[in-house]
Amino acid sequence: METHGFQVKGAIDAETRCKHYYSEADRVAIKFFCCNSYYPCYQCHREYGCGQTALWPREKFDEKAILCGNCGAELTIDNYFEAESACPLCRASFNPGCKLHKHLYFSS
């Protein structure tokens, strides 16, 4: 699905929700390091992705890899971690539970 001019594989609505995570606050897509493509979650990447897994290295946390499904802002990984579960531009809430899965996307 295309949202805010970006292709988000596995998304089921314009705010990047998917069949796995679809609460009001589930409006973030993550660009996977291994394939440079946006997915709403690790399960969508597993289902529709490149078949590989690669974590974002810490030294690349200044690159844009997070998409706000509400306003379409691309955030750096550092911006996302600093955002306190809301988009720093439009203030739309993000699911705070996503932080439980950060080890699936990002190196520590």
Side-chain angles (χ1 to χ4, degrees), residues 66-97:
I66 309 296
L67 179 67
C68 173
N70 186 64
C71 71
E74 271 192 301
L75 309 175
T76 67
I77 298 165
D78 283 330
N79 293 150
Y80 176 67
F81 287 149
E82 296 164 359
E84 297 298 321
S85 299
C87 177
L89 286 109
C90 72
R91 302 305 307 154
S93 61
F94 296 154
N95 186 338

Side-chain angles (χ1 to χ4, degrees), residues 1-90:
M1 166 171 276
E2 187 167 313
T3 183
H4 302 290
F6 296 93
Q7 182 68 29
V8 181
K9 299 175 182 179
I12 60 170
D13 75 7
E15 287 196 330
T16 74
R17 291 176 189 89
C18 67
K19 67 182 181 182
H20 307 106
Y21 299 99
Y22 46 85
S23 77
E24 173 61 25
D26 288 310
R27 60 171 56 92
V28 168
I30 300 165
K31 186 184 293 182
F32 277 71
F33 186 71
C34 49
C35 56
N36 201 40
S37 297
Y38 276 111
Y39 294 86
C41 75
Y42 69 95
Q43 293 177 73
C44 286
H45 180 257
R46 191 178 301 146
E47 191 172 336
Y48 305 109
C50 66
Q52 299 181 36
T53 303
L55 301 178
W56 277 93
R58 178 69 189 103
E59 63 272 8
K60 294 192 178 272
F61 281 16
D62 61 342
E63 292 188 24
K64 292 182 178 181
I66 309 296
L67 179 67
C68 173
N70 186 64
C71 71
E74 271 192 301
L75 309 175
T76 67
I77 298 165
D78 283 330
N79 293 150
Y80 176 67
F81 287 149
E82 296 164 359
E84 297 298 321
S85 299
C87 177
L89 286 109
C90 72

